[in-house]
């Protein structure tokens, strides 16, 4: 596949966890762990898109490209469109949007979303994973999606989709037989589409569901969907999440054993 860029939006002023990109996990800022996952994925370039010099300083030892962006961007996608404009990336350039709070993002999944876009006649690609628990299916914080036979997204929703009319009329504890999908918020864009997407106003469906990807679907765009090649752990939003990720990293280091 052609080379791809991983761009990591990292904003200091997170509402629920202020200074989130710089919060320490296993002795290093979270943004450093996220950048390492991108490097391990084989990205041709990793760009940190931030509005704060402290974040730029934190990743300086890695020698990464840091792009300073406006503090007024409403979303990470807007921030990456700013990067695409500043760097002058060609329209067909593949840009993976890896959120700055995903320190456990599997490198294989980052590669998969880039490969999916490279092979697709679509401006955007994303990932999904099978959903096996009715608690997740009915949880509005877990985004669900349905796809066409050609692997294109039909819709994303916080509601349980598809709604199994007969089964749910009798039982909402047992998951009916079906391949239910949970959306993973990892995207690959062609740079031209990224700039065009950020220039579009939010759509009605996007406002209702608070899901940015619905802007693309409502505009008639195609979104290619692939299954993640391995489990994709949740990102960091709370102090408990920081502890969970730190425990995971310590356990992984212990399993790997000492470096020879």
């Amino acid at each position: 596949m052609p080379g791809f860029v991983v761009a990591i939006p990292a904003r200091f002023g997170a509402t629920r966890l202020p200074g989130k990109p710089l919060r320490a996990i296993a002795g290093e800022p979270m943004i450093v762990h996220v950048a390492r996952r991108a490097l391990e994925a084989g990205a041709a370039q990793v760009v940190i898109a931030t509005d704060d010099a402290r974040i730029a300083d934190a990743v300086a030892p890695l020698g990464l490209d840091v792009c300073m962006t406006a503090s007024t961007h409403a979303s990470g996608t807007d921030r990456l469109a700013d990067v695409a404009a500043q760097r002058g990336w060609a329209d067909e350039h593949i840009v993976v949007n890896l959120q700055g709070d995903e320190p456990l993002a599997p490198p294989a999944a980052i590669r998969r979303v880039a490969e999916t876009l490279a092979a697709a006649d679509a401006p955007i690609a994303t990932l999904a994973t099978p959903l096996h628990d009715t608690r997740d299916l009915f949880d509005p914080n877990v985004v669900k999606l349905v796809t066409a036979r050609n692997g294109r997204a039909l819709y994303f929703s916080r509601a349980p989709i598809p709604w199994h009319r007969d089964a749910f009329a009798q039982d909402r504890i047992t998951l009916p037989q079906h391949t239910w999908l949970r959306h993973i918020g990892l995207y690959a864009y062609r740079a031209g589409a990224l700039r065009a997407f950020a220039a579009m106003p939010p759509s009605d469906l996007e406002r209702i569901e608070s899901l940015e990807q619905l802007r693309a679907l409502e505009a008639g765009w195609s979104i290619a969907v692939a299954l993640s090649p391995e489990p994709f752990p949740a990102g960091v939003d709370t102090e408990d999440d920081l502890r969970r990720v730190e425990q995971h990293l310590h356990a992984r280091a212990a399993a790997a054993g000492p470096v020879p």
Side-chain angles (χ1 to χ4, degrees):
M1 63 167 290
F4 63 95
V5 170
V6 175
I8 304 172
R11 184 171 66 94
F12 186 85
T15 304
R16 283 192 285 181
L17 203 60
K20 181 162 61 169
L22 300 182
R23 297 297 295 270
I25 299 177
E28 292 184 304
M30 179 165 63
I31 189 63
V32 170
H33 291 281
V34 178
R36 285 208 181 102
R37 302 295 84 78
L39 291 167
E40 291 165 4
Q45 183 182 12
V46 178
V47 182
I48 308 298
T50 187
D51 59 353
D52 197 289
R54 289 168 289 186
I55 295 173
D57 291 342
V59 297
L62 296 179
L64 302 177
D65 182 7
V66 176
C67 186
M68 300 305 296
T69 56
S71 60
T72 54
H73 289 310
S75 70
T77 309
D78 292 336
R79 196 173 301 283
L80 297 199
D82 188 349
V83 175
Q86 289 192 50
R87 294 297 183 263
W89 289 330
D91 284 350
E92 290 302 307
H93 209 59
I94 293 176
V95 183
V96 175
N97 181 352
L98 176 62
Q99 296 300 317
D101 57 4
E102 297 281 3
L104 299 180
I110 299 170
R111 285 194 301 275
R112 176 63 55 83
V113 76
E115 290 166 351
T116 301
L117 185 60
D121 181 19
I124 304 174
T126 192
L127 297 183
T129 191
L131 188 156
H132 302 293
D133 192 321
T134 51
R135 289 174 297 183
D136 290 337
L137 185 63
F138 286 91
D139 184 347
N141 295 311
V142 176
V143 178
K144 280 70 65 173
L145 74 152
V146 289
T147 61
R149 290 195 181 101
N150 64 359
R152 298 299 194 264
L154 291 173
Y155 194 66
F156 299 82
S157 183
R158 297 183 182 279
I161 56 172
W163 181 263
H164 200 304
R165 186 194 65 174
D166 295 337
F168 291 154
Q170 302 180 33
D171 179 7
R172 297 187 188 179
I173 297 176
T174 305
L175 198 65
Q177 186 173 4
H178 179 72
T179 303
W180 310 87
L181 294 175
R182 174 175 72 86
H183 179 229
I184 294 171
L186 180 70
Y187 296 94
Y189 296 86
R190 301 190 191 279
L194 178 60
R195 288 187 285 260
F197 180 86
M200 289 191 292
S203 71
D204 290 341
L205 292 174
E206 176 185 359
R207 290 191 187 96
I208 290 169
E209 295 250 24
S210 193
L211 294 175
E212 192 179 50
Q213 63 270 39
L214 292 178
R215 185 189 315 175
L217 290 186
E218 200 166 358
W221 289 20
S222 179
I223 300 178
V225 180
L227 292 179
S228 177
E230 58 185 84
F232 203 108
V236 172
D237 282 318
T238 66
E239 296 283 353
D240 287 343
D241 290 337
L242 284 170
R243 287 188 284 271
R244 168 181 55 82
V245 171
E246 183 149 16
Q247 290 169 359
H248 180 96
L249 291 175
H250 283 314
R252 187 163 67 185
V259 177

